[in-house]
Amino acid sequence: MVSSKVRSRINELKDKANSWEETEVNEFNPKKALLDSDYNDMIDRLKKRVVLPNLEEPEKSPYGTPATYVNLVADHLTDSFDFSTVKEGLCMFDHFKTMIGDINLHFIHMKGSEEKNPIPVLLLHGWPSTVWEFRKSIPMLLEEGYTIVAPSLPGHGFTDPPKVTGVGPAVIACAYHKLMKKLGYERFVVHGGDWGSMIGCLITYIYPESVMGFHTTLNLIFSFGWRQLTQLIIGGMFPSLVYTTEQEKKAMHPISKVSEKQYRGMAYFHVQSVLPDSYGYGMVDSPVGLIGWIGKNLTITLSASVLTFYSRKSNNFHKKLK
């Protein structure tokens, strides 16, 4: 049952989306945006980076991304990364830009075969990512006869950062729905991962009549009340009273370990939520800073042995990055 407060918010969002002016959809050439001069400037900065301090056992560092990892990625970019391959890969797809509300939105649009009566699929990426993550999925879906629309999140890829505050998941969801209608798709399928999952979930919630199906790689469950909190606390201290499998007991006990893991694992999220500009300037200006910040989230699931292996086998590490 939807509360009156939530229903009022949904109607407010819909009214705002309906007030956005209709604008043209223009073709976009990614090659013109991916300048060799910008790339060469990044490589030059990486080559001139300062000597990064490291711990004796970097794979066990509790302080963030190990310098070993940062140096490996930086060396890969300066010695092995093929920038032209990325440009050519992006140009396999049809790119467009259009203004929707306050968002100068970039998106890929590939039409499926009319003979197969193609179903439109909206592909939504998250952070830290871009539409590049769909480079293998898009041809496969096209071969099956689907039509693909893959927008870049605001501030990601070729979509400009918003110049006003308040452009959160709900507003972006309305913008993506507006985009699909602008392209002539009244009903469509949605796929989302990470923030794309949140936005996709909101599209299905705000515009259920438009969504034929929703697929996600991140299952978000927001129901958390006193019952769940009590279960978490008791299970963290006396796991046998709450959990039935050894896997559950190991994952949720002791509660101090669980709390510390969540605290450390979500530290980046807290900073990005409250002070994104404060550190953002450094990310824009320094490729090493960007590697360090994003690298922690990419290495969170890597074990110490994996990091050690890659630090010794840099060639294999470079292959893994491709």
Side-chain angles (χ1 to χ4, degrees):
M1 190 70 177
V2 180
S3 68
S4 58
K5 185 176 181 179
V6 172
R7 177 56 57 190
S8 175
R9 176 56 177 159
I10 290 176
N11 290 334
E12 180 184 327
L13 287 166
K14 286 183 174 181
D15 290 341
K16 181 176 183 177
N18 290 333
S19 70
W20 290 335
E21 294 182 6
E22 290 291 336
T23 59
E24 294 182 352
V25 174
N26 300 307
E27 292 184 359
F28 175 79
N29 185 352
K31 276 190 176 182
K32 293 183 178 180
L34 295 171
L35 301 177
D36 287 334
S37 58
D38 290 340
Y39 175 72
N40 292 334
D41 176 67
M42 179 190 75
I43 296 301
D44 187 55
R45 291 173 187 234
L46 287 172
K47 288 181 176 179
K48 293 179 179 178
R49 68 185 185 272
V50 299
V51 177
L52 302 176
N54 212 343
L55 298 177
E56 290 184 1
E57 297 181 285
E59 67 275 6
K60 297 181 181 180
S61 171
Y63 305 126
T65 308
T68 303
Y69 178 90
V70 175
N71 282 319
L72 282 169
V73 176
D75 289 342
H76 168 70
L77 289 171
T78 55
D79 302 334
S80 309
F81 182 70
D82 188 355
F83 184 51
S84 61
T85 299
V86 174
K87 289 198 290 185
E88 294 300 326
L90 282 170
C91 288
M92 292 192 305
F93 309 121
D94 299 329
H95 297 256
F96 303 87
K97 292 196 80 171
T98 186
M99 283 296 301
I100 298 183
D102 298 307
I103 306 172
N104 188 11
L105 187 66
H106 158 264
F107 61 97
I108 291 173
H109 185 199
M110 301 292 291
K111 294 184 178 180
S113 173
E114 292 296 334
E115 297 178 359
K116 296 185 178 181
N117 191 23
I119 295 174
V121 178
L122 181 62
L123 299 178
L124 308 179
H125 70 85
W127 180 92
S129 188
T130 66
V131 292
W132 181 245
E133 75 174 61
F134 300 128
R135 64 190 181 280
K136 296 181 180 179
S137 304
I138 291 175
M140 295 169 63
L141 290 168
L142 288 172
E143 189 175 341
E144 294 297 321
Y146 294 98
T147 285
I148 304 300
V149 179
S152 296
L153 276 171
H156 294 61
F158 303 117
T159 294
D160 296 351
K163 296 181 179 180
V164 297
T165 59
V167 183
V171 173
I172 297 172
C174 293
Y176 286 172
H177 178 264
K178 185 88 169 181
L179 172 66
M180 296 302 282
K181 293 200 69 174
K182 179 182 286 193
L183 297 176
Y185 306 127
E186 295 294 331
R187 302 190 72 228
F188 49 89
V189 172
V190 181
H191 160 79
D194 193 70
W195 278 108
S197 178
M198 167 77 80
I199 294 166
C201 183
L202 287 167
I203 293 174
T204 65
Y205 198 72
I206 300 171
Y207 302 101
E209 70 283 355
S210 297
V211 179
M212 302 169 66
F214 176 46
H215 176 265
T216 178
T217 55
L218 178 64
N219 186 23
L220 298 170
I221 302 175
F222 296 102
S223 177
F224 192 85
W226 284 108
R227 180 180 178 182
Q228 289 81 6
L229 180 60
T230 302
Q231 178 178 320
L232 180 64
I233 294 174
I234 295 177
M237 294 186 291
F238 309 103
S240 298
L241 298 178
V242 176
Y243 305 113
T244 56
T245 68
E246 290 302 317
Q247 186 178 7
E248 287 178 321
K249 294 175 184 177
K250 186 177 180 180
M252 304 307 293
H253 177 79
I255 191 171
S256 58
K257 182 179 179 180
V258 176
S259 300
E260 182 180 2
K261 184 178 180 180
Q262 289 294 324
Y263 174 75
R264 288 188 174 276
M266 295 301 289
Y268 79 95
F269 185 85
H270 179 67
V271 174
Q272 291 184 173
S273 297
V274 297
L275 296 171
D277 285 352
S278 295
Y279 78 92
Y281 305 125
M283 303 301 101
V284 172
D285 188 64
S286 170
V288 169
L290 188 61
I291 293 170
W293 186 254
I294 293 180
K296 181 56 184 175
N297 296 284
L298 296 179
T299 60
I300 263 177
T301 57
L302 294 181
S303 65
S305 60
V306 171
L307 282 174
T308 303
F309 173 79
Y310 283 136
S311 68
R312 294 172 182 168
K313 305 288 186 179
S314 60
N315 288 334
N316 288 335
F317 181 84
H318 294 159
K319 292 177 183 179
K320 188 77 173 180
L321 287 175
K322 293 182 178 178

